[in-house]
Amino acid sequence: MLRRRTNAVALLLLLFSVVMRAQQVTMMVLSDPHVMDTSLFDVPYGEAFMQAMQRDLKVNESSAQLFDKFVGIVLKERPQLLLVPGDLTKDGEKASHMYVAKRLAEIEAAGVQVLVVPGNHDMENPLAYGYHGNKSERVPSVSEKEFREIYKDFGYAEAVSVDSLSGSYICYPLPGLAVVGLNTNIPNRMKSRYVHGRLWQQTLNWMERVSGEARSAGRIVIAMSHHQVMQHHNQEDYFAPTAMTNMEQKVKGLPSLRDVQETFTRSGIRLVLTGHYHIQSVSDVETLHGKLTDVSTGALSGFPSPYRRMTLNMQTGRLRITSATMFGNKPSQWPTTDLANREMDRLRYMVQLYVPRLTGVKTDLSDAYQYLATSYNKALCALAAGDETGHKPKAVYEECMTATDKYIKHVLMYNAVKVNALKQQKDGAYRRASDLISSIMYNYVGDKKHVNADNSVTIQLK
């Protein structure tokens, strides 16, 4: 009798385990791998390639290596779904796209579904170059149509509906789940290439309709876009607004960022997976129709090469997100390998994106680099890794502001009147810089603390 009871209990536990696993959807998120096919440059590196790398934040020479390593992780862990929110290639080179698609096909062959959307680097890119010796030459990029053809097996062929304007799609990759893959890049009709993201009203109307249909069928709907749809730190819209959709207001009829956010939540979408800004960060905003959370995943091609794991309980709608990096999750234990050093050194050049607005006067970027790069790099590493607490927020903030003081004194030639006037401006660049670094290191937007993305994050999707 005891043996029968024991067997019955074991059977019940097994059935419970099977049911629980059936309710769980496992996912991974990779963003901004910026893969550059190795056929596009010489090894050892030629003069033209070395010069180009000095102007680039990414470790392009190791991008394929990092991508291959990540593919190995996916093949080992076998999640049900891999989501890639754009910038798959360095600058849209066809050779790079073909390499990425080949490796993604290997992932799908192993039973992992893959969904992608394009980033601003991926299509019709005039910066698609190959570098050999002391020569740099244009190489074929891809059109929007070619992009969708190359990646047809990773979202486009499975699409239930496609937006005729942007090529955005919705698909049903797993029972009970719908994914809206948004193209937030500039449509061809603009005759130009921008880094800013945009969503047109027609695309928003389409998204609201197809998301409503998916929800009526009992599906949880999540979205994926390359560009972020909200700020992840204070002063982002002042120093570097390119990560957010619709920040350029020069196009007639362009919906505002707030309109975009309201449409997401009105559509029943509570989660947007984004990339572009090369930061590992989670932020949210309250709208009239509920909370919208933007989970931005950092660049695999930039230090410290982060990615994400996600587990969604389809029964409860509870989503758990964790972060990982190719170099480990503890800054104190980051290796001093050649690759790590090169990635960190490239990140230092981020000061060139921030400094021009720091003093309000024309400045020499070489001076800015000398005064600010080392200190600001510590804050930028925290932002890129999504682990601000591991970087000693108070010490980093104070070091950055001390460096800023020395820099503006140098730029203004130690003119005490000018320096004091700059620091006293209520909405001036100095106070904005202070707010920027403080919000990065103490993890808040506005005056509201937001989630430290390196810890476990839980989001309720229904």
Side-chain angles (χ1 to χ4, degrees):
M1 180 68 70
L2 180 60
R3 180 177 294 178
R4 289 180 180 175
R5 287 180 179 175
T6 302
N7 290 341
V9 170
L11 179 60
L12 286 173
L13 289 173
L14 177 61
L15 290 173
F16 178 76
S17 175
V18 170
V19 171
M20 290 303 294
R21 283 200 299 270
Q23 291 180 348
Q24 301 290 334
V25 170
T26 56
M27 297 177 275
M28 295 180 73
V29 184
L30 161 74
S31 191
D32 295 74
H34 286 283
V35 174
M36 185 178 190
D37 188 74
T38 54
S39 67
L40 299 172
F41 59 90
D42 300 322
V43 179
Y45 313 129
E47 179 184 344
F49 184 70
M50 293 295 290
Q51 289 180 351
M53 293 309 98
Q54 292 175 2
R55 303 187 298 270
D56 205 312
L57 297 175
K58 305 177 292 295
V59 283
N60 298 304
E61 67 275 20
S62 300
S63 57
Q65 171 191 342
L66 287 164
F67 183 64
D68 288 345
K69 185 176 180 180
F70 176 79
V71 169
I73 293 172
V74 176
L75 292 176
K76 181 179 179 180
E77 297 188 13
R78 302 288 180 92
Q80 292 165 271
L81 189 61
L82 171 63
L83 300 159
V84 189
D87 276 358
L88 293 94
T89 58
K90 176 185 177 289
D91 283 308
E93 309 88 5
K94 188 172 183 178
S96 300
H97 278 302
M98 299 306 293
Y99 183 80
V100 171
K102 177 182 176 181
R103 297 309 316 266
L104 294 182
E106 294 174 24
I107 291 174
E108 284 219 329
V112 180
Q113 293 192 66
V114 180
L115 299 178
V116 308
V117 292
N120 58 289
H121 280 259
D122 285 328
M123 304 180 300
E124 300 180 353
N125 194 330
L127 301 180
Y129 275 84
Y131 304 89
H132 298 286
N134 61 1
K135 294 182 179 181
S136 57
E137 297 179 334
R138 289 283 300 272
V139 297
S141 181
V142 302
S143 66
E144 290 189 32
K145 182 179 179 181
E146 288 172 317
F147 180 92
R148 293 193 288 270
E149 178 62 25
I150 291 171
Y151 296 101
K152 64 181 179 181
D153 294 330
F154 312 119
Y156 295 98
E158 301 94 335
V160 176
S161 177
V162 177
D163 172 41
S164 60
L165 173 63
S166 67
S168 300
Y169 64 87
I170 184 171
C171 65
Y172 301 163
L174 297 167
L177 181 66
V179 177
V180 178
L182 294 166
N183 175 13
T184 52
N185 299 289
I186 306 301
N188 287 339
R189 68 183 187 182
M190 296 303 296
K191 307 296 183 185
S192 183
R193 176 182 174 273
Y194 292 81
V195 295
H196 296 68
R198 290 177 178 162
L199 282 169
W200 299 85
Q201 189 62 52
Q202 177 180 322
T203 301
L204 292 177
N205 293 342
W206 167 85
M207 180 181 73
E208 188 170 2
R209 176 177 60 80
V210 297
S211 298
E213 293 169 354
R215 291 177 62 223
S216 296
R219 293 180 179 271
I220 294 174
V221 185
I222 65 175
M224 174 171 62
S225 72
H226 184 60
H227 297 84
Q228 295 168 208
V229 298
M230 64 189 69
Q231 290 195 64
H232 282 255
H233 57 73
N234 285 0
Q235 307 303 334
E236 183 179 337
D237 55 342
Y238 177 78
F239 283 107
T242 67
M244 292 169 284
T245 59
N246 299 11
M247 288 309 296
E248 288 185 289
Q249 298 296 323
K250 299 175 183 178
V251 180
K252 185 178 181 180
L254 188 69
S256 69
L257 186 60
R258 188 65 182 181
D259 289 339
V260 171
Q261 295 166 350
E262 291 286 358
T263 304
F264 275 112
T265 54
R266 192 168 60 245
S267 303
I269 298 172
R270 298 288 180 263
L271 170 69
V272 186
L273 301 170
T274 64
H276 183 63
Y277 205 19
H278 295 199
I279 65 174
Q280 193 86 339
S281 179
V282 178
S283 192
D284 57 57
V285 63
E286 291 288 346
T287 75
L288 294 174
H289 302 89
K291 182 188 290 185
L292 177 65
T293 301
D294 184 318
V295 176
S296 180
T297 298
L300 188 74
S301 56
F303 194 81
S305 300
Y307 57 95
R308 296 187 184 278
R309 299 181 178 94
M310 305 195 302
T311 303
L312 172 61
N313 186 306
M314 299 301 298
Q315 189 69 26
T316 65
R318 183 176 182 269
L319 178 71
R320 183 174 183 270
I321 306 172
T322 57
S323 294
T325 84
M326 292 296 185
F327 298 102
N329 286 8
K330 294 183 178 180
S332 61
Q333 297 177 6
W334 278 344
T336 56
T337 61
D338 175 61
L339 177 58
N341 288 335
R342 280 186 286 125
E343 285 204 44
M344 290 185 71
D345 188 58
R346 300 281 172 81
L347 189 60
R348 288 186 178 93
Y349 283 91
M350 278 285 284
V351 297
Q352 296 185 41
L353 300 179
Y354 291 94
V355 167
R357 295 191 175 205
L358 191 56
T359 61
V361 297
K362 190 172 182 179
T363 58
D364 188 327
L365 288 180
S366 63
D367 283 349
Y369 188 84
Q370 176 185 341
Y371 278 87
L372 301 176
T374 299
S375 299
Y376 273 50
N377 179 248
K378 294 178 181 179
L380 293 171
C381 277
L383 188 62
D387 185 18
E388 288 83 348
T389 56
H391 290 77
K392 301 179 181 178
K394 185 175 186 294
V396 173
Y397 170 76
E398 291 178 349
E399 182 178 335
C400 285
M401 295 317 298
T402 298
T404 303
D405 285 346
K406 291 180 179 178
Y407 173 67
I408 65 168
K409 288 177 181 177
H410 167 75
V411 171
L412 300 177
M413 300 180 181
Y414 286 84
N415 184 314
V417 175
K418 288 184 177 180
V419 170
N420 188 59
L422 179 64
K423 296 177 71 170
Q424 293 301 315
Q425 291 175 6
K426 185 176 180 181
D427 295 316
Y430 182 86
R431 293 197 181 185
R432 288 179 182 272
S434 173
D435 190 24
L436 165 71
I437 301 299
S438 180
S439 69
I440 287 174
M441 297 313 303
Y442 290 100
N443 228 316
Y444 61 88
V445 179
D447 56 2
K448 172 188 174 186
K449 185 172 179 63
H450 65 126
V451 181
N452 184 332
D454 205 57
N455 295 330
S456 174
V457 178
T458 301
I459 301 171
Q460 198 65 38
L461 298 185
K462 72 174 185 179

